[in-house]
PDB file of all heavy atoms in Angstrom:
ATOM      1  N   ALA A   1     -29.494 -78.291  27.223  1.00 54.00           N
ATOM      2  CA  ALA A   1     -28.690 -77.981  26.046  1.00 54.00           C
ATOM      3  C   ALA A   1     -28.661 -76.488  25.784  1.00 54.00           C
ATOM      4  O   ALA A   1     -27.666 -75.938  25.317  1.00 54.00           O
ATOM      5  CB  ALA A   1     -29.251 -78.711  24.826  1.00 54.00           C
ATOM      6  N   ALA A   2     -29.784 -75.817  26.110  1.00 50.00           N
ATOM      7  CA  ALA A   2     -29.844 -74.385  25.856  1.00 50.00           C
ATOM      8  C   ALA A   2     -29.271 -73.560  26.998  1.00 50.00           C
ATOM      9  O   ALA A   2     -28.997 -72.381  26.834  1.00 50.00           O
ATOM     10  CB  ALA A   2     -31.291 -73.960  25.617  1.00 50.00           C
ATOM     11  N   ALA A   3     -29.064 -74.179  28.146  1.00 46.00           N
ATOM     12  CA  ALA A   3     -28.668 -73.426  29.335  1.00 46.00           C
ATOM     13  C   ALA A   3     -27.349 -72.689  29.209  1.00 46.00           C
ATOM     14  O   ALA A   3     -27.236 -71.573  29.704  1.00 46.00           O
ATOM     15  CB  ALA A   3     -28.618 -74.360  30.547  1.00 46.00           C
ATOM     16  N   PRO A   4     -26.280 -73.245  28.573  1.00 46.00           N
ATOM     17  CA  PRO A   4     -25.025 -72.519  28.533  1.00 46.00           C
ATOM     18  C   PRO A   4     -25.150 -71.131  27.916  1.00 46.00           C
ATOM     19  O   PRO A   4     -24.444 -70.207  28.316  1.00 46.00           O
ATOM     20  CB  PRO A   4     -24.128 -73.433  27.692  1.00 46.00           C
ATOM     21  CG  PRO A   4     -24.674 -74.797  27.922  1.00 46.00           C
ATOM     22  CD  PRO A   4     -26.142 -74.592  28.009  1.00 46.00           C
ATOM     23  N   ASP A   5     -25.989 -70.957  26.894  1.00 53.00           N
ATOM     24  CA  ASP A   5     -26.199 -69.640  26.328  1.00 53.00           C
ATOM     25  C   ASP A   5     -27.418 -69.032  26.996  1.00 53.00           C
ATOM     26  O   ASP A   5     -28.536 -69.182  26.554  1.00 53.00           O
ATOM     27  CB  ASP A   5     -26.407 -69.731  24.814  1.00 53.00           C
ATOM     28  CG  ASP A   5     -26.467 -68.341  24.181  1.00 53.00           C
ATOM     29  OD1 ASP A   5     -26.218 -67.360  24.908  1.00 53.00           O
ATOM     30  OD2 ASP A   5     -26.761 -68.258  22.981  1.00 53.00           O
ATOM     31  N   ARG A   6     -27.197 -68.330  28.100  1.00 62.00           N
ATOM     32  CA  ARG A   6     -28.298 -67.853  28.909  1.00 62.00           C
ATOM     33  C   ARG A   6     -28.790 -66.476  28.485  1.00 62.00           C
ATOM     34  O   ARG A   6     -29.683 -65.915  29.112  1.00 62.00           O
ATOM     35  CB  ARG A   6     -27.865 -67.794  30.370  1.00 62.00           C
ATOM     36  CG  ARG A   6     -26.701 -66.835  30.621  1.00 62.00           C
ATOM     37  CD  ARG A   6     -26.270 -66.866  32.072  1.00 62.00           C
ATOM     38  NE  ARG A   6     -25.174 -65.971  32.350  1.00 62.00           N
ATOM     39  CZ  ARG A   6     -23.907 -66.276  32.181  1.00 62.00           C
ATOM     40  NH1 ARG A   6     -23.593 -67.474  31.736  1.00 62.00           N
ATOM     41  NH2 ARG A   6     -22.946 -65.414  32.452  1.00 62.00           N
ATOM     42  N   PHE A   7     -28.184 -65.896  27.460  1.00 76.00           N
ATOM     43  CA  PHE A   7     -28.544 -64.541  27.071  1.00 76.00           C
ATOM     44  C   PHE A   7     -29.699 -64.549  26.079  1.00 76.00           C
ATOM     45  O   PHE A   7     -29.704 -65.318  25.119  1.00 76.00           O
ATOM     46  CB  PHE A   7     -27.337 -63.815  26.483  1.00 76.00           C
ATOM     47  CG  PHE A   7     -26.182 -63.730  27.451  1.00 76.00           C
ATOM     48  CD1 PHE A   7     -25.047 -64.497  27.268  1.00 76.00           C
ATOM     49  CD2 PHE A   7     -26.252 -62.900  28.555  1.00 76.00           C
ATOM     50  CE1 PHE A   7     -23.984 -64.430  28.165  1.00 76.00           C
ATOM     51  CE2 PHE A   7     -25.204 -62.822  29.457  1.00 76.00           C
ATOM     52  CZ  PHE A   7     -24.070 -63.590  29.263  1.00 76.00           C
ATOM     53  N   ASP A   8     -30.675 -63.682  26.326  1.00 76.00           N
ATOM     54  CA  ASP A   8     -31.847 -63.599  25.464  1.00 76.00           C
ATOM     55  C   ASP A   8     -31.586 -62.756  24.224  1.00 76.00           C
ATOM     56  O   ASP A   8     -32.289 -62.887  23.223  1.00 76.00           O
ATOM     57  CB  ASP A   8     -33.032 -62.990  26.228  1.00 76.00           C
ATOM     58  CG  ASP A   8     -33.405 -63.804  27.450  1.00 76.00           C
ATOM     59  OD1 ASP A   8     -33.287 -65.038  27.381  1.00 76.00           O
ATOM     60  OD2 ASP A   8     -33.798 -63.211  28.467  1.00 76.00           O
ATOM     61  N   ARG A   9     -30.619 -61.868  24.287  1.00 83.00           N
ATOM     62  CA  ARG A   9     -30.330 -60.982  23.157  1.00 83.00           C
ATOM     63  C   ARG A   9     -28.862 -60.623  23.151  1.00 83.00           C
ATOM     64  O   ARG A   9     -28.141 -60.858  24.127  1.00 83.00           O
ATOM     65  CB  ARG A   9     -31.192 -59.722  23.236  1.00 83.00           C
ATOM     66  CG  ARG A   9     -31.148 -59.015  24.588  1.00 83.00           C
ATOM     67  CD  ARG A   9     -32.064 -57.807  24.590  1.00 83.00           C
ATOM     68  NE  ARG A   9     -32.193 -57.222  25.911  1.00 83.00           N
ATOM     69  CZ  ARG A   9     -32.435 -55.938  26.128  1.00 83.00           C
ATOM     70  NH1 ARG A   9     -32.566 -55.113  25.100  1.00 83.00           N
ATOM     71  NH2 ARG A   9     -32.570 -55.477  27.351  1.00 83.00           N
ATOM     72  N   ALA A  10     -28.439 -60.034  22.062  1.00 85.00           N
ATOM     73  CA  ALA A  10     -27.015 -59.767  21.888  1.00 85.00           C
ATOM     74  C   ALA A  10     -26.558 -58.521  22.642  1.00 85.00           C
ATOM     75  O   ALA A  10     -25.525 -58.542  23.307  1.00 85.00           O
ATOM     76  CB  ALA A  10     -26.683 -59.628  20.400  1.00 85.00           C
ATOM     77  N   ARG A  11     -27.336 -57.435  22.564  1.00 89.00           N
ATOM     78  CA  ARG A  11     -26.845 -56.153  23.084  1.00 89.00           C
ATOM     79  C   ARG A  11     -27.937 -55.385  23.809  1.00 89.00           C
ATOM     80  O   ARG A  11     -29.127 -55.567  23.552  1.00 89.00           O
ATOM     81  CB  ARG A  11     -26.287 -55.302  21.934  1.00 89.00           C
ATOM     82  CG  ARG A  11     -25.132 -55.929  21.208  1.00 89.00           C
ATOM     83  CD  ARG A  11     -24.843 -55.213  19.896  1.00 89.00           C
ATOM     84  NE  ARG A  11     -24.480 -53.830  20.100  1.00 89.00           N
ATOM     85  CZ  ARG A  11     -24.280 -52.972  19.091  1.00 89.00           C
ATOM     86  NH1 ARG A  11     -24.430 -53.371  17.847  1.00 89.00           N
ATOM     87  NH2 ARG A  11     -23.935 -51.725  19.331  1.00 89.00           N
ATOM     88  N   ALA A  12     -27.498 -54.520  24.712  1.00 91.00           N
ATOM     89  CA  ALA A  12     -28.431 -53.636  25.415  1.00 91.00           C
ATOM     90  C   ALA A  12     -27.658 -52.426  25.917  1.00 91.00           C
ATOM     91  O   ALA A  12     -26.429 -52.463  26.071  1.00 91.00           O
ATOM     92  CB  ALA A  12     -29.100 -54.356  26.589  1.00 91.00           C
ATOM     93  N   VAL A  13     -28.388 -51.354  26.152  1.00 92.00           N
ATOM     94  CA  VAL A  13     -27.857 -50.169  26.823  1.00 92.00           C
ATOM     95  C   VAL A  13     -28.661 -49.982  28.095  1.00 92.00           C
ATOM     96  O   VAL A  13     -29.898 -49.960  28.060  1.00 92.00           O
ATOM     97  CB  VAL A  13     -27.963 -48.911  25.936  1.00 92.00           C
ATOM     98  CG1 VAL A  13     -27.456 -47.687  26.697  1.00 92.00           C
ATOM     99  CG2 VAL A  13     -27.170 -49.093  24.653  1.00 92.00           C
ATOM    100  N   LEU A  14     -27.984 -49.866  29.234  1.00 92.00           N
ATOM    101  CA  LEU A  14     -28.650 -49.712  30.533  1.00 92.00           C
ATOM    102  C   LEU A  14     -28.353 -48.320  31.074  1.00 92.00           C
ATOM    103  O   LEU A  14     -27.198 -47.954  31.263  1.00 92.00           O
ATOM    104  CB  LEU A  14     -28.151 -50.771  31.517  1.00 92.00           C
ATOM    105  CG  LEU A  14     -28.683 -50.684  32.952  1.00 92.00           C
ATOM    106  CD1 LEU A  14     -30.193 -50.881  32.983  1.00 92.00           C
ATOM    107  CD2 LEU A  14     -27.997 -51.701  33.850  1.00 92.00           C
ATOM    108  N   LEU A  15     -29.411 -47.549  31.312  1.00 90.00           N
ATOM    109  CA  LEU A  15     -29.275 -46.181  31.819  1.00 90.00           C
ATOM    110  C   LEU A  15     -29.856 -46.092  33.220  1.00 90.00           C
ATOM    111  O   LEU A  15     -30.962 -46.580  33.476  1.00 90.00           O
ATOM    112  CB  LEU A  15     -30.020 -45.207  30.898  1.00 90.00           C
ATOM    113  CG  LEU A  15     -30.056 -43.739  31.336  1.00 90.00           C
ATOM    114  CD1 LEU A  15     -28.689 -43.099  31.145  1.00 90.00           C
ATOM    115  CD2 LEU A  15     -31.109 -42.965  30.557  1.00 90.00           C
ATOM    116  N   VAL A  16     -29.131 -45.482  34.143  1.00 89.00           N
ATOM    117  CA  VAL A  16     -29.637 -45.215  35.486  1.00 89.00           C
ATOM    118  C   VAL A  16     -30.387 -43.890  35.436  1.00 89.00           C
ATOM    119  O   VAL A  16     -29.814 -42.858  35.064  1.00 89.00           O
ATOM    120  CB  VAL A  16     -28.501 -45.150  36.520  1.00 89.00           C
ATOM    121  CG1 VAL A  16     -29.073 -44.926  37.916  1.00 89.00           C
ATOM    122  CG2 VAL A  16     -27.673 -46.418  36.482  1.00 89.00           C
ATOM    123  N   ALA A  17     -31.673 -43.906  35.781  1.00 85.00           N
ATOM    124  CA  ALA A  17     -32.518 -42.721  35.618  1.00 85.00           C
ATOM    125  C   ALA A  17     -33.220 -42.375  36.917  1.00 85.00           C
ATOM    126  O   ALA A  17     -33.879 -43.218  37.516  1.00 85.00           O
ATOM    127  CB  ALA A  17     -33.554 -42.950  34.517  1.00 85.00           C
ATOM    128  N   ALA A  18     -33.090 -41.114  37.341  1.00 81.00           N
ATOM    129  CA  ALA A  18     -33.778 -40.623  38.538  1.00 81.00           C
ATOM    130  C   ALA A  18     -35.030 -39.887  38.105  1.00 81.00           C
ATOM    131  O   ALA A  18     -34.984 -38.726  37.717  1.00 81.00           O
ATOM    132  CB  ALA A  18     -32.862 -39.697  39.335  1.00 81.00           C
ATOM    133  N   GLY A  19     -36.163 -40.550  38.122  1.00 75.00           N
ATOM    134  CA  GLY A  19     -37.415 -39.931  37.704  1.00 75.00           C
ATOM    135  C   GLY A  19     -38.171 -40.827  36.751  1.00 75.00           C
ATOM    136  O   GLY A  19     -37.600 -41.336  35.786  1.00 75.00           O
ATOM    137  N   ALA A  20     -39.466 -41.027  37.025  1.00 77.00           N
ATOM    138  CA  ALA A  20     -40.258 -41.937  36.203  1.00 77.00           C
ATOM    139  C   ALA A  20     -40.371 -41.456  34.766  1.00 77.00           C
ATOM    140  O   ALA A  20     -40.268 -42.245  33.817  1.00 77.00           O
ATOM    141  CB  ALA A  20     -41.659 -42.088  36.816  1.00 77.00           C
ATOM    142  N   GLU A  21     -40.589 -40.151  34.587  1.00 82.00           N
ATOM    143  CA  GLU A  21     -40.735 -39.624  33.225  1.00 82.00           C
ATOM    144  C   GLU A  21     -39.431 -39.742  32.453  1.00 82.00           C
ATOM    145  O   GLU A  21     -39.422 -40.022  31.249  1.00 82.00           O
ATOM    146  CB  GLU A  21     -41.211 -38.176  33.282  1.00 82.00           C
ATOM    147  CG  GLU A  21     -42.632 -38.041  33.806  1.00 82.00           C
ATOM    148  CD  GLU A  21     -42.963 -36.624  34.240  1.00 82.00           C
ATOM    149  OE1 GLU A  21     -42.205 -36.048  35.049  1.00 82.00           O
ATOM    150  OE2 GLU A  21     -43.983 -36.099  33.772  1.00 82.00           O
ATOM    151  N   LEU A  22     -38.335 -39.541  33.149  1.00 82.00           N
ATOM    152  CA  LEU A  22     -37.035 -39.694  32.521  1.00 82.00           C
ATOM    153  C   LEU A  22     -36.803 -41.143  32.104  1.00 82.00           C
ATOM    154  O   LEU A  22     -36.260 -41.430  31.022  1.00 82.00           O
ATOM    155  CB  LEU A  22     -35.932 -39.256  33.492  1.00 82.00           C
ATOM    156  CG  LEU A  22     -34.503 -39.260  32.972  1.00 82.00           C
ATOM    157  CD1 LEU A  22     -34.366 -38.384  31.745  1.00 82.00           C
ATOM    158  CD2 LEU A  22     -33.554 -38.806  34.058  1.00 82.00           C
ATOM    159  N   GLY A  23     -37.243 -42.079  32.949  1.00 81.00           N
ATOM    160  CA  GLY A  23     -37.125 -43.491  32.611  1.00 81.00           C
ATOM    161  C   GLY A  23     -37.919 -43.846  31.369  1.00 81.00           C
ATOM    162  O   GLY A  23     -37.436 -44.571  30.494  1.00 81.00           O
ATOM    163  N   GLU A  24     -39.147 -43.309  31.258  1.00 84.00           N
ATOM    164  CA  GLU A  24     -39.955 -43.567  30.067  1.00 84.00           C
ATOM    165  C   GLU A  24     -39.300 -42.965  28.832  1.00 84.00           C
ATOM    166  O   GLU A  24     -39.355 -43.542  27.742  1.00 84.00           O
ATOM    167  CB  GLU A  24     -41.363 -43.002  30.258  1.00 84.00           C
ATOM    168  CG  GLU A  24     -42.200 -43.764  31.264  1.00 84.00           C
ATOM    169  CD  GLU A  24     -42.297 -45.243  30.910  1.00 84.00           C
ATOM    170  OE1 GLU A  24     -42.554 -45.567  29.737  1.00 84.00           O
ATOM    171  OE2 GLU A  24     -42.103 -46.084  31.816  1.00 84.00           O
ATOM    172  N   LEU A  25     -38.691 -41.800  28.991  1.00 84.00           N
ATOM    173  CA  LEU A  25     -37.990 -41.160  27.877  1.00 84.00           C
ATOM    174  C   LEU A  25     -36.849 -42.042  27.393  1.00 84.00           C
ATOM    175  O   LEU A  25     -36.648 -42.227  26.183  1.00 84.00           O
ATOM    176  CB  LEU A  25     -37.461 -39.796  28.336  1.00 84.00           C
ATOM    177  CG  LEU A  25     -36.808 -38.897  27.281  1.00 84.00           C
ATOM    178  CD1 LEU A  25     -37.822 -38.516  26.211  1.00 84.00           C
ATOM    179  CD2 LEU A  25     -36.233 -37.648  27.946  1.00 84.00           C
ATOM    180  N   ALA A  26     -36.092 -42.612  28.333  1.00 85.00           N
ATOM    181  CA  ALA A  26     -34.973 -43.482  27.965  1.00 85.00           C
ATOM    182  C   ALA A  26     -35.469 -44.774  27.330  1.00 85.00           C
ATOM    183  O   ALA A  26     -34.888 -45.268  26.358  1.00 85.00           O
ATOM    184  CB  ALA A  26     -34.122 -43.786  29.201  1.00 85.00           C
ATOM    185  N   ARG A  27     -36.546 -45.337  27.861  1.00 86.00           N
ATOM    186  CA  ARG A  27     -37.087 -46.573  27.289  1.00 86.00           C
ATOM    187  C   ARG A  27     -37.572 -46.351  25.862  1.00 86.00           C
ATOM    188  O   ARG A  27     -37.398 -47.202  24.990  1.00 86.00           O
ATOM    189  CB  ARG A  27     -38.232 -47.095  28.157  1.00 86.00           C
ATOM    190  CG  ARG A  27     -37.789 -47.676  29.504  1.00 86.00           C
ATOM    191  CD  ARG A  27     -38.950 -48.342  30.225  1.00 86.00           C
ATOM    192  NE  ARG A  27     -38.539 -48.801  31.541  1.00 86.00           N
ATOM    193  CZ  ARG A  27     -38.706 -48.082  32.658  1.00 86.00           C
ATOM    194  NH1 ARG A  27     -39.284 -46.894  32.597  1.00 86.00           N
ATOM    195  NH2 ARG A  27     -38.301 -48.546  33.824  1.00 86.00           N
ATOM    196  N   SER A  28     -38.195 -45.187  25.624  1.00 83.00           N
ATOM    197  CA  SER A  28     -38.682 -44.899  24.277  1.00 83.00           C
ATOM    198  C   SER A  28     -37.538 -44.771  23.285  1.00 83.00           C
ATOM    199  O   SER A  28     -37.727 -44.954  22.077  1.00 83.00           O
ATOM    200  CB  SER A  28     -39.505 -43.610  24.276  1.00 83.00           C
ATOM    201  OG  SER A  28     -38.688 -42.477  24.548  1.00 83.00           O
ATOM    202  N   ALA A  29     -36.338 -44.476  23.796  1.00 83.00           N
ATOM    203  CA  ALA A  29     -35.156 -44.394  22.943  1.00 83.00           C
ATOM    204  C   ALA A  29     -34.435 -45.736  22.829  1.00 83.00           C
ATOM    205  O   ALA A  29     -33.380 -45.824  22.215  1.00 83.00           O
ATOM    206  CB  ALA A  29     -34.199 -43.329  23.473  1.00 83.00           C
ATOM    207  N   GLY A  30     -34.989 -46.778  23.461  1.00 85.00           N
ATOM    208  CA  GLY A  30     -34.443 -48.118  23.298  1.00 85.00           C
ATOM    209  C   GLY A  30     -33.574 -48.614  24.429  1.00 85.00           C
ATOM    210  O   GLY A  30     -32.934 -49.659  24.295  1.00 85.00           O
ATOM    211  N   ALA A  31     -33.541 -47.910  25.555  1.00 88.00           N
ATOM    212  CA  ALA A  31     -32.663 -48.316  26.661  1.00 88.00           C
ATOM    213  C   ALA A  31     -33.412 -49.169  27.674  1.00 88.00           C
ATOM    214  O   ALA A  31     -34.627 -49.061  27.832  1.00 88.00           O
ATOM    215  CB  ALA A  31     -32.092 -47.095  27.362  1.00 88.00           C
ATOM    216  N   ASP A  32     -32.669 -50.036  28.365  1.00 90.00           N
ATOM    217  CA  ASP A  32     -33.148 -50.635  29.608  1.00 90.00           C
ATOM    218  C   ASP A  32     -32.880 -49.607  30.700  1.00 90.00           C
ATOM    219  O   ASP A  32     -31.895 -48.865  30.629  1.00 90.00           O
ATOM    220  CB  ASP A  32     -32.410 -51.930  29.916  1.00 90.00           C
ATOM    221  CG  ASP A  32     -32.841 -53.067  29.012  1.00 90.00           C
ATOM    222  OD1 ASP A  32     -32.843 -52.881  27.770  1.00 90.00           O
ATOM    223  OD2 ASP A  32     -33.168 -54.129  29.520  1.00 90.00           O
ATOM    224  N   VAL A  33     -33.731 -49.560  31.721  1.00 88.00           N
ATOM    225  CA  VAL A  33     -33.639 -48.501  32.725  1.00 88.00           C
ATOM    226  C   VAL A  33     -33.563 -49.079  34.125  1.00 88.00           C
ATOM    227  O   VAL A  33     -34.335 -49.989  34.475  1.00 88.00           O
ATOM    228  CB  VAL A  33     -34.837 -47.541  32.621  1.00 88.00           C
ATOM    229  CG1 VAL A  33     -34.820 -46.523  33.751  1.00 88.00           C
ATOM    230  CG2 VAL A  33     -34.830 -46.829  31.269  1.00 88.00           C
ATOM    231  N   LEU A  34     -32.639 -48.562  34.913  1.00 87.00           N
ATOM    232  CA  LEU A  34     -32.593 -48.851  36.351  1.00 87.00           C
ATOM    233  C   LEU A  34     -33.097 -47.606  37.061  1.00 87.00           C
ATOM    234  O   LEU A  34     -32.417 -46.579  37.084  1.00 87.00           O
ATOM    235  CB  LEU A  34     -31.163 -49.176  36.801  1.00 87.00           C
ATOM    236  CG  LEU A  34     -30.938 -49.259  38.320  1.00 87.00           C
ATOM    237  CD1 LEU A  34     -31.825 -50.311  38.951  1.00 87.00           C
ATOM    238  CD2 LEU A  34     -29.474 -49.528  38.634  1.00 87.00           C
ATOM    239  N   PRO A  35     -34.322 -47.629  37.626  1.00 83.00           N
ATOM    240  CA  PRO A  35     -34.851 -46.445  38.313  1.00 83.00           C
ATOM    241  C   PRO A  35     -34.001 -46.102  39.524  1.00 83.00           C
ATOM    242  O   PRO A  35     -33.574 -46.979  40.269  1.00 83.00           O
ATOM    243  CB  PRO A  35     -36.259 -46.879  38.738  1.00 83.00           C
ATOM    244  CG  PRO A  35     -36.585 -48.046  37.864  1.00 83.00           C
ATOM    245  CD  PRO A  35     -35.283 -48.739  37.608  1.00 83.00           C
ATOM    246  N   ARG A  36     -33.758 -44.817  39.704  1.00 79.00           N
ATOM    247  CA  ARG A  36     -32.965 -44.382  40.838  1.00 79.00           C
ATOM    248  C   ARG A  36     -33.841 -43.528  41.751  1.00 79.00           C
ATOM    249  O   ARG A  36     -33.703 -42.318  41.835  1.00 79.00           O
ATOM    250  CB  ARG A  36     -31.747 -43.576  40.366  1.00 79.00           C
ATOM    251  CG  ARG A  36     -30.768 -43.274  41.484  1.00 79.00           C
ATOM    252  CD  ARG A  36     -29.596 -42.432  41.014  1.00 79.00           C
ATOM    253  NE  ARG A  36     -28.668 -42.173  42.092  1.00 79.00           N
ATOM    254  CZ  ARG A  36     -27.593 -41.412  41.988  1.00 79.00           C
ATOM    255  NH1 ARG A  36     -27.299 -40.853  40.827  1.00 79.00           N
ATOM    256  NH2 ARG A  36     -26.798 -41.214  43.021  1.00 79.00           N
ATOM    257  N   GLU A  37     -34.751 -44.211  42.438  1.00 66.00           N
ATOM    258  CA  GLU A  37     -35.629 -43.505  43.353  1.00 66.00           C
ATOM    259  C   GLU A  37     -34.916 -43.215  44.671  1.00 66.00           C
ATOM    260  O   GLU A  37     -35.207 -42.240  45.339  1.00 66.00           O
ATOM    261  CB  GLU A  37     -36.888 -44.332  43.598  1.00 66.00           C
ATOM    262  CG  GLU A  37     -37.681 -44.584  42.317  1.00 66.00           C
ATOM    263  CD  GLU A  37     -38.858 -45.503  42.544  1.00 66.00           C
ATOM    264  OE1 GLU A  37     -38.993 -45.984  43.685  1.00 66.00           O
ATOM    265  OE2 GLU A  37     -39.613 -45.743  41.593  1.00 66.00           O
ATOM    266  N   GLU A  38     -34.007 -44.085  45.054  1.00 64.00           N
ATOM    267  CA  GLU A  38     -33.220 -43.897  46.269  1.00 64.00           C
ATOM    268  C   GLU A  38     -31.765 -44.179  45.920  1.00 64.00           C
ATOM    269  O   GLU A  38     -31.392 -44.266  44.757  1.00 64.00           O
ATOM    270  CB  GLU A  38     -33.705 -44.839  47.375  1.00 64.00           C
ATOM    271  CG  GLU A  38     -35.168 -44.604  47.763  1.00 64.00           C
ATOM    272  CD  GLU A  38     -35.635 -45.581  48.821  1.00 64.00           C
ATOM    273  OE1 GLU A  38     -34.846 -46.469  49.196  1.00 64.00           O
ATOM    274  OE2 GLU A  38     -36.784 -45.451  49.256  1.00 64.00           O
TER     275      GLU A  38
END
C-alpha cells in the first residue's frame, strides 16, 4: 500500500562537489552531495 509513494521526503538540492571538504561544506548548508572524485 505504501509502495506507490516511494519518496521519503518532498524536496532536496543535489550538488556535485569535487573535494571532500567542499562536500562537507555543502552538506552543512543542507544539500545532498554527489562526490566528484573522478
